[in-house]
Amino acid sequence: MPYLIQHNYHGSATSYSTALTLAAVAGVLVSVLLAKFPTFNTINSMYRDFYLLGAAFILTTFFQHLWVFIILVILYGFARSAFVIKINTVRQQASSPAYLGRVFGISFFATDLFAPLITISLGYGVSIMGAWTLFVLGSLLLGGMMAIKVLSNHHEKKLGKQF
C-alpha cells in the first residue's frame, strides 16, 4: 500500500497514514455493527462481502485517483474486520465444543503460515505490476471465493446424498 500510494497515486506518507487510520475506524465501526446485529454474522454475508471487495479491487484498477484508492482501503478495513468476526462466529457455530480449541488452532495456523509468503510476494510484485496488483488481487479474491462456494455446494450435496 505505501508503494502504490507514493508511486501510482502520487500521495505521501500522510496519505498513507490517513488511509490506515480510516481503515481502522471502518474496522471498529463494523465490529460495533456486527455486535449489535449478529444476524449478519453468516457465511453467506461473508461471501457477499468478499465478492463486493473483489469487484472494488478490480474497479479501482481503472480509476487511478488517490481518493478512490483510499475508499478501497476503507472498504478493505471494513471487510477484513467483518471477515474475522464472521468466520470466527461461523467456526464456533459449526464446531463441536469439544473440538473448538483445535479448530481455531488449526485455522489460525493455516492462515498465519501463508502470511509471510504472500507479504514477500506482494512486496516484489507490486513494484512490477503497480496498480494492476489491485486487478490481480481482486481477480484472485473473486475466483477464490467462487471456487470455495462451488466446492462447498458440491460437498454439501455429496453429504446430503449419504444421509
Side-chain angles (χ1 to χ4, degrees):
M1 189 167 82
Y3 182 88
L4 287 175
I5 284 181
Q6 287 187 349
H7 286 73
N8 291 86
Y9 296 98
H10 311 294
S12 63
T14 302
S15 305
Y16 174 65
S17 60
T18 299
L20 286 179
T21 301
L22 293 173
V25 169
V28 170
L29 178 64
V30 76
S31 300
V32 170
L33 288 172
L34 289 174
K36 185 84 171 149
F37 303 104
T39 56
F40 291 107
N41 292 340
T42 65
I43 196 83
N44 286 330
S45 70
M46 189 176 65
Y47 284 123
R48 192 172 33 253
D49 292 349
F50 281 131
Y51 290 142
L52 289 171
L53 184 62
F57 267 90
I58 291 171
L59 285 173
T60 302
T61 306
F62 301 104
F63 298 97
Q64 293 191 12
H65 301 285
L66 181 60
W67 64 270
V68 173
F69 185 74
I70 290 175
I71 290 171
L72 175 67
V73 172
I74 293 167
L75 183 60
Y76 174 75
F78 193 90
R80 183 176 176 178
S81 291
F83 167 73
V84 170
I85 293 165
K86 290 176 182 184
I87 196 66
N88 287 333
T89 300
V90 168
R91 283 180 190 143
Q92 193 168 5
Q93 291 170 343
S95 301
S96 167
Y99 299 106
L100 201 52
R102 287 174 254 185
V103 168
F104 273 80
I106 290 169
S107 61
F108 289 142
F109 177 73
T111 54
D112 291 346
L113 177 67
F114 292 104
L117 297 173
I118 292 168
T119 302
I120 291 168
S121 299
L122 277 177
Y124 287 109
V126 75
S127 62
I128 296 167
M129 294 183 294
W132 285 98
T133 305
L134 301 175
F135 185 85
V136 170
L137 290 173
S139 298
L140 289 171
L141 185 57
L142 287 175
M145 292 309 296
M146 287 179 197
I148 290 170
K149 186 71 171 167
V150 167
L151 290 171
S152 294
N153 287 342
H154 176 72
H155 184 69
E156 284 179 17
K157 287 177 185 177
K158 192 175 178 181
L159 284 176
K161 290 179 183 178
Q162 292 176 352
F163 295 107

